[in-house]
Amino acid sequence: QVQLVESGGGLVQAGGSLRLSCAASGSIFSINDMGWYRQAPEKQRESVATITRGGSTNYADSVKGRFAISRDAAKNTVYLQMNSLKPEDTAVYYCNAQMRLVATGPKYNYWGQGTQVTVSS
């Protein structure tokens, strides 16, 4: 089955860095837009960063200048480099990908299981 698996989360001190990765696997025709979202306890899930198939990126104002999203088409993988981390970045981070499973089929959104990022003060 098609799935997205995140990795790279963990515990880091404020000011530190983490690099998240998300790999898509299974029978996939194409991957279009990809992105990272996060959800803190008792808060709504929010967009952190997105990247199109062509490489155009978009960032939430709260992470602009600190985070960088990138992708490796050959590995069906999207990354999120997080620098200058703050306690308010603490959340579960989810990978999202828009994918077609067949050439003539529809494009669907798929979600990973999430990876915990905890930033201590």
Side-chain angles (χ1 to χ4, degrees), residues 1-6 22-28 76 99 101 110-113:
Q1 287 186 309
V2 174
Q3 61 179 17
L4 297 171
V5 179
E6 302 103 329
C22 171
S25 63
S27 182
I28 304 167
N76 288 340
M99 294 188 282
L101 303 190
Y110 292 83
W111 292 91
Q113 80 287 350

Side-chain angles (χ1 to χ4, degrees), residues 38-60:
R38 67 186 181 188
Q39 187 168 19
E42 300 182 340
K43 298 188 71 174
Q44 295 279 99
R45 186 174 299 187
E46 64 176 350
S47 176
V48 177
T50 59
I51 184 167
T52 68
R53 187 174 182 84
S56 297
T57 59
N58 188 270
Y59 297 93

Side-chain angles (χ1 to χ4, degrees), residues 53-70:
R53 187 174 182 84
S56 297
T57 59
N58 188 270
Y59 297 93
D61 288 342
S62 60
V63 308
K64 196 170 298 181
R66 300 188 297 120
F67 292 8
I69 189 171
S70 61

